[in-house]
Amino acid sequence: VSGIATFIQEAAIVALDQDTTWMRDNYKERRDTSLRMLEEYSIKVVKPEGAFYFFVDVKEFNLSSEAFCEKALYEYKLAMVPGVYFGEHCDHFVRLSYATGVDELYEGLRRLGKMVTDLRQ
């Protein structure tokens, strides 16, 4: 009844023949630089091993992941995804993507650093 259109299948074949080393290296650099920045702010994070997301541990702030994300959005202009959306056991995490522009990523990490510094005071 349904299937993938022929032109999409042909595009996939072409895509599979492309050298993506440059992009993999780019994401690795973003990940590693982001991890160093998070470490500077003493932010605990689960190091990604296959995706371009961090799970940031926000348990120390005694806020639900939704409350943490709302505060980040409205007070620091920083968008993240509440961990509770991935299950109740993840409510002390927020998800942060590093699949964005480098300038935006590092600015977002600085804002997160400012937020956690303010919350710790």
Tab-separated table of all heavy atoms in Angstrom, residues 5-61:
chain	number	residue	atom	x	y	z
A	5	ALA	N	9.388	6.455	-2.061
A	5	ALA	CA	9.435	6.852	-3.466
A	5	ALA	C	10.805	6.552	-4.071
A	5	ALA	O	11.834	6.630	-3.400
A	5	ALA	CB	9.122	8.338	-3.601
A	6	THR	N	10.809	6.219	-5.339
A	6	THR	CA	12.037	5.844	-6.043
A	6	THR	C	13.104	6.928	-5.957
A	6	THR	O	14.279	6.638	-5.706
A	6	THR	CB	11.722	5.528	-7.523
A	6	THR	OG1	10.731	4.502	-7.562
A	6	THR	CG2	12.960	5.058	-8.253
A	7	PHE	N	12.716	8.185	-6.135
A	7	PHE	CA	13.724	9.252	-6.127
A	7	PHE	C	14.376	9.392	-4.745
A	7	PHE	O	15.547	9.752	-4.641
A	7	PHE	CB	13.133	10.591	-6.598
A	7	PHE	CG	12.208	11.270	-5.619
A	7	PHE	CD1	12.690	12.215	-4.724
A	7	PHE	CD2	10.847	10.969	-5.607
A	7	PHE	CE1	11.836	12.838	-3.834
A	7	PHE	CE2	9.986	11.588	-4.725
A	7	PHE	CZ	10.483	12.530	-3.825
A	8	ILE	N	13.647	9.060	-3.691
A	8	ILE	CA	14.222	9.107	-2.347
A	8	ILE	C	15.198	7.943	-2.168
A	8	ILE	O	16.269	8.102	-1.583
A	8	ILE	CB	13.114	9.093	-1.275
A	8	ILE	CG1	12.316	10.394	-1.353
A	8	ILE	CG2	13.697	8.887	0.128
A	8	ILE	CD1	11.112	10.454	-0.448
A	9	GLN	N	14.870	6.786	-2.686
A	9	GLN	CA	15.773	5.645	-2.621
A	9	GLN	C	17.071	5.953	-3.369
A	9	GLN	O	18.170	5.646	-2.893
A	9	GLN	CB	15.106	4.406	-3.215
A	9	GLN	CG	13.920	3.904	-2.414
A	9	GLN	CD	13.239	2.728	-3.095
A	9	GLN	OE1	13.902	1.854	-3.641
A	9	GLN	NE2	11.920	2.714	-3.055
A	10	GLU	N	16.942	6.585	-4.537
A	10	GLU	CA	18.132	6.938	-5.321
A	10	GLU	C	18.986	7.977	-4.582
A	10	GLU	O	20.219	7.897	-4.595
A	10	GLU	CB	17.713	7.441	-6.699
A	10	GLU	CG	17.118	6.334	-7.557
A	10	GLU	CD	16.442	6.840	-8.826
A	10	GLU	OE1	16.315	8.074	-9.000
A	10	GLU	OE2	16.029	5.990	-9.637
A	11	ALA	N	18.333	8.933	-3.931
A	11	ALA	CA	19.069	9.944	-3.155
A	11	ALA	C	19.795	9.290	-1.980
A	11	ALA	O	20.929	9.672	-1.657
A	11	ALA	CB	18.116	11.021	-2.663
A	12	ALA	N	19.170	8.301	-1.361
A	12	ALA	CA	19.802	7.601	-0.243
A	12	ALA	C	21.059	6.876	-0.697
A	12	ALA	O	22.073	6.867	0.013
A	12	ALA	CB	18.812	6.626	0.395
A	13	ILE	N	21.023	6.281	-1.865
A	13	ILE	CA	22.200	5.585	-2.410
A	13	ILE	C	23.346	6.576	-2.609
A	13	ILE	O	24.490	6.308	-2.236
A	13	ILE	CB	21.850	4.858	-3.728
A	13	ILE	CG1	20.925	3.672	-3.427
A	13	ILE	CG2	23.119	4.397	-4.446
A	13	ILE	CD1	20.298	3.059	-4.664
A	14	VAL	N	23.033	7.729	-3.154
A	14	VAL	CA	24.056	8.761	-3.342
A	14	VAL	C	24.596	9.221	-1.994
A	14	VAL	O	25.802	9.373	-1.809
A	14	VAL	CB	23.488	9.953	-4.157
A	14	VAL	CG1	24.475	11.109	-4.184
A	14	VAL	CG2	23.136	9.509	-5.573
A	15	ALA	N	23.700	9.437	-1.032
A	15	ALA	CA	24.114	9.894	0.295
A	15	ALA	C	25.053	8.894	0.963
A	15	ALA	O	26.028	9.282	1.621
A	15	ALA	CB	22.888	10.140	1.169
A	16	LEU	N	24.787	7.615	0.794
A	16	LEU	CA	25.624	6.598	1.413
A	16	LEU	C	27.028	6.545	0.818
A	16	LEU	O	27.955	6.021	1.440
A	16	LEU	CB	24.951	5.224	1.309
A	16	LEU	CG	23.710	5.061	2.184
A	16	LEU	CD1	22.989	3.755	1.831
A	16	LEU	CD2	24.067	5.100	3.659
A	17	ASP	N	27.199	7.100	-0.355
A	17	ASP	CA	28.507	7.120	-1.011
A	17	ASP	C	29.317	8.379	-0.695
A	17	ASP	O	30.405	8.553	-1.242
A	17	ASP	CB	28.342	6.997	-2.531
A	17	ASP	CG	27.947	5.592	-2.948
A	17	ASP	OD1	28.256	4.637	-2.205
A	17	ASP	OD2	27.320	5.450	-4.019
A	18	GLN	N	28.803	9.249	0.170
A	18	GLN	CA	29.482	10.505	0.473
A	18	GLN	C	30.451	10.340	1.645
A	18	GLN	O	30.206	9.572	2.566
A	18	GLN	CB	28.460	11.596	0.812
A	18	GLN	CG	27.453	11.871	-0.284
A	18	GLN	CD	28.106	12.234	-1.602
A	18	GLN	OE1	28.907	13.158	-1.660
A	18	GLN	NE2	27.781	11.504	-2.646
A	19	ASP	N	31.532	11.094	1.594
A	19	ASP	CA	32.489	11.110	2.703
A	19	ASP	C	31.988	12.101	3.752
A	19	ASP	O	31.917	13.300	3.501
A	19	ASP	CB	33.875	11.527	2.205
A	19	ASP	CG	34.897	11.593	3.320
A	19	ASP	OD1	34.622	11.093	4.430
A	19	ASP	OD2	35.991	12.154	3.086
A	20	THR	N	31.627	11.590	4.901
A	20	THR	CA	31.096	12.441	5.967
A	20	THR	C	32.101	12.644	7.106
A	20	THR	O	31.730	13.116	8.179
A	20	THR	CB	29.797	11.830	6.532
A	20	THR	OG1	30.083	10.514	7.017
A	20	THR	CG2	28.702	11.775	5.473
A	21	THR	N	33.339	12.308	6.856
A	21	THR	CA	34.373	12.441	7.879
A	21	THR	C	34.439	13.855	8.419
A	21	THR	O	34.549	14.061	9.628
A	21	THR	CB	35.749	12.034	7.309
A	21	THR	OG1	35.651	10.714	6.790
A	21	THR	CG2	36.824	12.092	8.369
A	22	TRP	N	34.345	14.834	7.546
A	22	TRP	CA	34.446	16.235	7.969
A	22	TRP	C	33.343	16.590	8.962
A	22	TRP	O	33.578	17.315	9.938
A	22	TRP	CB	34.402	17.177	6.757
A	22	TRP	CG	33.075	17.140	6.039
A	22	TRP	CD1	32.672	16.266	5.067
A	22	TRP	CD2	31.953	17.983	6.281
A	22	TRP	NE1	31.379	16.514	4.683
A	22	TRP	CE2	30.907	17.581	5.412
A	22	TRP	CE3	31.723	19.047	7.140
A	22	TRP	CZ2	29.663	18.191	5.380
A	22	TRP	CZ3	30.486	19.664	7.108
A	22	TRP	CH2	29.467	19.238	6.237
A	23	MET	N	32.134	16.059	8.760
A	23	MET	CA	31.028	16.373	9.663
A	23	MET	C	31.183	15.629	10.983
A	23	MET	O	30.943	16.198	12.053
A	23	MET	CB	29.693	16.026	9.008
A	23	MET	CG	28.512	16.652	9.701
A	23	MET	SD	28.530	18.455	9.514
A	23	MET	CE	28.103	18.948	11.161
A	24	ARG	N	31.601	14.375	10.933
A	24	ARG	CA	31.850	13.616	12.159
A	24	ARG	C	32.910	14.319	13.005
A	24	ARG	O	32.750	14.479	14.211
A	24	ARG	CB	32.284	12.191	11.826
A	24	ARG	CG	32.436	11.319	13.081
A	24	ARG	CD	33.092	9.989	12.794
A	24	ARG	NE	34.460	10.224	12.343
A	24	ARG	CZ	35.009	9.638	11.289
A	24	ARG	NH1	34.335	8.786	10.566
A	24	ARG	NH2	36.251	9.903	10.949
A	25	ASP	N	33.977	14.781	12.358
A	25	ASP	CA	35.037	15.492	13.065
A	25	ASP	C	34.516	16.804	13.655
A	25	ASP	O	34.889	17.195	14.766
A	25	ASP	CB	36.221	15.761	12.138
A	25	ASP	CG	36.939	14.485	11.727
A	25	ASP	OD1	36.719	13.429	12.366
A	25	ASP	OD2	37.715	14.548	10.752
A	26	ASN	N	33.641	17.479	12.906
A	26	ASN	CA	33.048	18.723	13.379
A	26	ASN	C	32.218	18.488	14.639
A	26	ASN	O	32.328	19.227	15.618
A	26	ASN	CB	32.197	19.327	12.255
A	26	ASN	CG	31.649	20.677	12.595
A	26	ASN	OD1	30.727	20.777	13.396
A	26	ASN	ND2	32.194	21.707	11.979
A	27	TYR	N	31.388	17.452	14.625
A	27	TYR	CA	30.573	17.134	15.803
A	27	TYR	C	31.443	16.721	16.987
A	27	TYR	O	31.158	17.066	18.138
A	27	TYR	CB	29.550	16.038	15.496
A	27	TYR	CG	28.308	16.572	14.842
A	27	TYR	CD1	27.958	16.194	13.554
A	27	TYR	CD2	27.470	17.459	15.510
A	27	TYR	CE1	26.816	16.683	12.941
A	27	TYR	CE2	26.323	17.953	14.915
A	27	TYR	CZ	25.996	17.560	13.629
A	27	TYR	OH	24.868	18.051	13.041
A	28	LYS	N	32.507	15.986	16.723
A	28	LYS	CA	33.418	15.577	17.803
A	28	LYS	C	34.044	16.809	18.446
A	28	LYS	O	34.134	16.897	19.672
A	28	LYS	CB	34.492	14.637	17.285
A	28	LYS	CG	35.415	14.117	18.366
A	28	LYS	CD	36.480	13.186	17.794
A	28	LYS	CE	37.374	12.612	18.850
A	28	LYS	NZ	38.021	13.586	19.715
A	29	GLU	N	34.449	17.775	17.633
A	29	GLU	CA	35.036	19.007	18.165
A	29	GLU	C	34.009	19.773	19.001
A	29	GLU	O	34.322	20.276	20.085
A	29	GLU	CB	35.565	19.887	17.025
A	29	GLU	CG	36.097	21.231	17.478
A	29	GLU	CD	37.288	21.142	18.419
A	29	GLU	OE1	38.059	20.173	18.324
A	29	GLU	OE2	37.434	22.051	19.263
A	30	ARG	N	32.776	19.880	18.519
A	30	ARG	CA	31.712	20.550	19.286
A	30	ARG	C	31.487	19.846	20.620
A	30	ARG	O	31.352	20.482	21.659
A	30	ARG	CB	30.393	20.542	18.517
A	30	ARG	CG	30.363	21.436	17.325
A	30	ARG	CD	28.993	21.378	16.699
A	30	ARG	NE	29.068	21.688	15.284
A	30	ARG	CZ	28.013	21.847	14.523
A	30	ARG	NH1	26.801	21.725	15.021
A	30	ARG	NH2	28.150	22.134	13.250
A	31	ARG	N	31.425	18.499	20.565
A	31	ARG	CA	31.215	17.729	21.784
A	31	ARG	C	32.336	17.967	22.780
A	31	ARG	O	32.094	18.273	23.950
A	31	ARG	CB	31.116	16.235	21.465
A	31	ARG	CG	30.819	15.387	22.704
A	31	ARG	CD	31.159	13.935	22.512
A	31	ARG	NE	32.611	13.794	22.333
A	31	ARG	CZ	33.183	12.718	21.833
A	31	ARG	NH1	32.458	11.691	21.426
A	31	ARG	NH2	34.492	12.653	21.709
A	32	ASP	N	33.568	17.855	22.319
A	32	ASP	CA	34.710	17.973	23.220
A	32	ASP	C	34.834	19.382	23.801
A	32	ASP	O	35.091	19.548	24.995
A	32	ASP	CB	35.995	17.569	22.500
A	32	ASP	CG	36.023	16.085	22.152
A	32	ASP	OD1	35.173	15.325	22.670
A	32	ASP	OD2	36.888	15.700	21.334
A	33	THR	N	34.629	20.408	22.975
A	33	THR	CA	34.680	21.785	23.471
A	33	THR	C	33.548	22.037	24.453
A	33	THR	O	33.739	22.665	25.507
A	33	THR	CB	34.616	22.787	22.305
A	33	THR	OG1	35.737	22.552	21.440
A	33	THR	CG2	34.664	24.221	22.804
A	34	SER	N	32.365	21.523	24.146
A	34	SER	CA	31.221	21.681	25.044
A	34	SER	C	31.485	20.999	26.385
A	34	SER	O	31.174	21.560	27.445
A	34	SER	CB	29.958	21.103	24.406
A	34	SER	OG	29.625	21.805	23.230
A	35	LEU	N	32.048	19.810	26.345
A	35	LEU	CA	32.366	19.108	27.592
A	35	LEU	C	33.350	19.908	28.439
A	35	LEU	O	33.202	19.988	29.662
A	35	LEU	CB	32.932	17.714	27.301
A	35	LEU	CG	31.920	16.675	26.844
A	35	LEU	CD1	32.630	15.414	26.347
A	35	LEU	CD2	30.947	16.333	27.966
A	36	ARG	N	34.343	20.517	27.801
A	36	ARG	CA	35.305	21.343	28.543
A	36	ARG	C	34.601	22.548	29.172
A	36	ARG	O	34.864	22.898	30.325
A	36	ARG	CB	36.442	21.807	27.630
A	36	ARG	CG	37.468	20.725	27.339
A	36	ARG	CD	38.719	21.278	26.669
A	36	ARG	NE	38.471	21.833	25.358
A	36	ARG	CZ	38.451	21.135	24.219
A	36	ARG	NH1	38.666	19.835	24.240
A	36	ARG	NH2	38.236	21.730	23.062
A	37	MET	N	33.701	23.169	28.421
A	37	MET	CA	32.974	24.328	28.954
A	37	MET	C	32.088	23.908	30.126
A	37	MET	O	32.043	24.600	31.154
A	37	MET	CB	32.140	24.988	27.858
A	37	MET	CG	32.968	25.686	26.802
A	37	MET	SD	31.959	26.425	25.490
A	37	MET	CE	31.281	27.852	26.358
A	38	LEU	N	31.392	22.797	29.995
A	38	LEU	CA	30.530	22.325	31.078
A	38	LEU	C	31.364	21.992	32.314
A	38	LEU	O	30.958	22.282	33.446
A	38	LEU	CB	29.727	21.108	30.613
A	38	LEU	CG	28.660	21.411	29.551
A	38	LEU	CD1	28.177	20.118	28.895
A	38	LEU	CD2	27.506	22.194	30.132
A	39	GLU	N	32.522	21.426	32.093
A	39	GLU	CA	33.410	21.099	33.208
A	39	GLU	C	33.870	22.368	33.930
A	39	GLU	O	33.987	22.390	35.153
A	39	GLU	CB	34.616	20.309	32.687
A	39	GLU	CG	35.507	19.768	33.785
A	39	GLU	CD	36.622	18.893	33.226
A	39	GLU	OE1	36.304	17.815	32.699
A	39	GLU	OE2	37.790	19.317	33.312
A	40	GLU	N	34.137	23.437	33.174
A	40	GLU	CA	34.547	24.703	33.777
A	40	GLU	C	33.499	25.227	34.752
A	40	GLU	O	33.839	25.891	35.732
A	40	GLU	CB	34.821	25.747	32.697
A	40	GLU	CG	36.081	25.518	31.908
A	40	GLU	CD	36.245	26.502	30.755
A	40	GLU	OE1	35.547	27.545	30.738
A	40	GLU	OE2	37.075	26.226	29.883
A	41	TYR	N	32.242	24.964	34.465
A	41	TYR	CA	31.136	25.390	35.335
A	41	TYR	C	30.761	24.306	36.352
A	41	TYR	O	29.773	24.452	37.064
A	41	TYR	CB	29.912	25.750	34.502
A	41	TYR	CG	30.103	26.955	33.615
A	41	TYR	CD1	30.124	26.824	32.232
A	41	TYR	CD2	30.254	28.227	34.158
A	41	TYR	CE1	30.290	27.924	31.410
A	41	TYR	CE2	30.429	29.336	33.344
A	41	TYR	CZ	30.442	29.175	31.974
A	41	TYR	OH	30.605	30.280	31.161
A	42	SER	N	31.537	23.231	36.415
A	42	SER	CA	31.265	22.101	37.308
A	42	SER	C	29.864	21.541	37.105
A	42	SER	O	29.156	21.205	38.057
A	42	SER	CB	31.465	22.510	38.772
A	42	SER	OG	32.782	22.934	38.988
A	43	ILE	N	29.465	21.449	35.846
A	43	ILE	CA	28.166	20.885	35.486
A	43	ILE	C	28.366	19.418	35.152
A	43	ILE	O	29.177	19.070	34.292
A	43	ILE	CB	27.555	21.644	34.283
A	43	ILE	CG1	27.301	23.107	34.663
A	43	ILE	CG2	26.280	20.960	33.811
A	43	ILE	CD1	26.885	23.981	33.493
A	44	LYS	N	27.619	18.559	35.836
A	44	LYS	CA	27.700	17.121	35.584
A	44	LYS	C	26.900	16.798	34.327
A	44	LYS	O	25.799	17.302	34.129
A	44	LYS	CB	27.136	16.338	36.766
A	44	LYS	CG	27.925	16.508	38.037
A	44	LYS	CD	27.268	15.756	39.163
A	44	LYS	CE	27.969	16.038	40.474
A	44	LYS	NZ	27.238	15.434	41.596
A	45	VAL	N	27.473	15.943	33.497
A	45	VAL	CA	26.843	15.621	32.221
A	45	VAL	C	27.174	14.186	31.830
A	45	VAL	O	28.241	13.676	32.178
A	45	VAL	CB	27.305	16.621	31.135
A	45	VAL	CG1	28.797	16.538	30.907
A	45	VAL	CG2	26.551	16.444	29.844
A	46	VAL	N	26.243	13.548	31.158
A	46	VAL	CA	26.494	12.227	30.594
A	46	VAL	C	27.133	12.441	29.222
A	46	VAL	O	26.543	13.097	28.354
A	46	VAL	CB	25.181	11.419	30.463
A	46	VAL	CG1	25.443	10.088	29.782
A	46	VAL	CG2	24.533	11.229	31.829
A	47	LYS	N	28.336	11.922	29.044
A	47	LYS	CA	29.041	12.097	27.773
A	47	LYS	C	28.343	11.282	26.685
A	47	LYS	O	28.161	10.078	26.826
A	47	LYS	CB	30.494	11.645	27.899
A	47	LYS	CG	31.292	11.839	26.629
A	47	LYS	CD	32.726	11.387	26.799
A	47	LYS	CE	33.500	11.539	25.502
A	47	LYS	NZ	34.878	11.088	25.633
A	48	PRO	N	27.958	11.950	25.596
A	48	PRO	CA	27.302	11.219	24.501
A	48	PRO	C	28.290	10.306	23.783
A	48	PRO	O	29.441	10.646	23.607
A	48	PRO	CB	26.807	12.326	23.579
A	48	PRO	CG	27.540	13.554	23.960
A	48	PRO	CD	28.067	13.368	25.340
A	49	GLU	N	27.784	9.152	23.392
A	49	GLU	CA	28.624	8.198	22.690
A	49	GLU	C	28.142	7.920	21.273
A	49	GLU	O	28.807	7.227	20.527
A	49	GLU	CB	28.705	6.895	23.489
A	49	GLU	CG	29.410	7.065	24.813
A	49	GLU	CD	29.595	5.764	25.557
A	49	GLU	OE1	29.528	4.693	24.934
A	49	GLU	OE2	29.804	5.827	26.769
A	50	GLY	N	26.978	8.435	20.903
A	50	GLY	CA	26.495	8.139	19.566
A	50	GLY	C	25.518	9.162	19.025
A	50	GLY	O	25.143	9.103	17.863
A	51	ALA	N	25.114	10.099	19.832
A	51	ALA	CA	24.151	11.115	19.393
A	51	ALA	C	24.767	12.488	19.613
A	51	ALA	O	25.894	12.606	20.083
A	51	ALA	CB	22.853	10.982	20.178
A	52	PHE	N	24.027	13.521	19.291
A	52	PHE	CA	24.544	14.876	19.489
A	52	PHE	C	23.748	15.610	20.553
A	52	PHE	O	23.387	16.763	20.416
A	52	PHE	CB	24.581	15.665	18.170
A	52	PHE	CG	23.393	15.449	17.278
A	52	PHE	CD1	22.175	16.049	17.543
A	52	PHE	CD2	23.512	14.639	16.164
A	52	PHE	CE1	21.096	15.842	16.719
A	52	PHE	CE2	22.432	14.432	15.326
A	52	PHE	CZ	21.217	15.039	15.609
A	53	TYR	N	23.501	14.892	21.659
A	53	TYR	CA	22.804	15.455	22.806
A	53	TYR	C	23.593	15.173	24.076
A	53	TYR	O	24.210	14.122	24.209
A	53	TYR	CB	21.429	14.800	22.988
A	53	TYR	CG	20.525	14.901	21.802
A	53	TYR	CD1	20.330	13.810	20.962
A	53	TYR	CD2	19.857	16.089	21.523
A	53	TYR	CE1	19.480	13.888	19.871
A	53	TYR	CE2	19.007	16.178	20.425
A	53	TYR	CZ	18.829	15.077	19.612
A	53	TYR	OH	17.997	15.171	18.533
A	54	PHE	N	23.521	16.120	25.005
A	54	PHE	CA	24.031	15.899	26.357
A	54	PHE	C	22.835	15.708	27.275
A	54	PHE	O	21.804	16.362	27.102
A	54	PHE	CB	24.784	17.132	26.875
A	54	PHE	CG	26.049	17.433	26.149
A	54	PHE	CD1	26.144	18.556	25.351
A	54	PHE	CD2	27.154	16.624	26.288
A	54	PHE	CE1	27.316	18.859	24.686
A	54	PHE	CE2	28.333	16.918	25.622
A	54	PHE	CZ	28.407	18.033	24.832
A	55	PHE	N	22.983	14.857	28.262
A	55	PHE	CA	22.047	14.825	29.372
A	55	PHE	C	22.770	15.499	30.526
A	55	PHE	O	23.749	14.981	31.057
A	55	PHE	CB	21.632	13.392	29.732
A	55	PHE	CG	20.390	12.953	29.030
A	55	PHE	CD1	20.445	12.018	28.029
A	55	PHE	CD2	19.155	13.500	29.370
A	55	PHE	CE1	19.299	11.605	27.362
A	55	PHE	CE2	17.995	13.099	28.712
A	55	PHE	CZ	18.073	12.149	27.708
A	56	VAL	N	22.277	16.687	30.872
A	56	VAL	CA	22.870	17.495	31.932
A	56	VAL	C	22.152	17.177	33.238
A	56	VAL	O	20.927	17.239	33.309
A	56	VAL	CB	22.740	19.003	31.593
A	56	VAL	CG1	23.299	19.866	32.711
A	56	VAL	CG2	23.443	19.306	30.268
A	57	ASP	N	22.923	16.866	34.268
A	57	ASP	CA	22.375	16.521	35.582
A	57	ASP	C	22.070	17.810	36.345
A	57	ASP	O	22.966	18.597	36.637
A	57	ASP	CB	23.386	15.675	36.347
A	57	ASP	CG	22.847	15.109	37.642
A	57	ASP	OD1	21.867	15.656	38.191
A	57	ASP	OD2	23.405	14.111	38.116
A	58	VAL	N	20.788	18.023	36.664
A	58	VAL	CA	20.368	19.248	37.368
A	58	VAL	C	19.811	18.934	38.759
A	58	VAL	O	19.167	19.778	39.379
A	58	VAL	CB	19.350	20.057	36.529
A	58	VAL	CG1	19.989	20.527	35.232
A	58	VAL	CG2	18.089	19.257	36.244
A	59	LYS	N	20.084	17.749	39.253
A	59	LYS	CA	19.536	17.311	40.539
A	59	LYS	C	19.904	18.259	41.680
A	59	LYS	O	19.089	18.519	42.566
A	59	LYS	CB	20.031	15.898	40.850
A	59	LYS	CG	19.406	15.284	42.071
A	59	LYS	CD	19.849	13.849	42.238
A	59	LYS	CE	19.101	13.192	43.376
A	59	LYS	NZ	19.444	11.773	43.483
A	60	GLU	N	21.099	18.803	41.654
A	60	GLU	CA	21.561	19.663	42.753
A	60	GLU	C	20.701	20.906	42.949
A	60	GLU	O	20.736	21.523	44.001
A	60	GLU	CB	23.020	20.077	42.543
A	60	GLU	CG	23.225	21.106	41.445
A	60	GLU	CD	24.651	21.614	41.335
A	60	GLU	OE1	25.084	22.441	42.167
A	60	GLU	OE2	25.337	21.146	40.397
A	61	PHE	N	19.906	21.283	41.963
A	61	PHE	CA	19.145	22.520	42.042
A	61	PHE	C	17.731	22.345	42.601
A	61	PHE	O	16.998	23.316	42.758
A	61	PHE	CB	19.111	23.202	40.671
A	61	PHE	CG	20.494	23.437	40.135
A	61	PHE	CD1	20.954	22.717	39.043
A	61	PHE	CD2	21.354	24.323	40.755
A	61	PHE	CE1	22.245	22.896	38.569
A	61	PHE	CE2	22.643	24.518	40.294
A	61	PHE	CZ	23.093	23.799	39.201
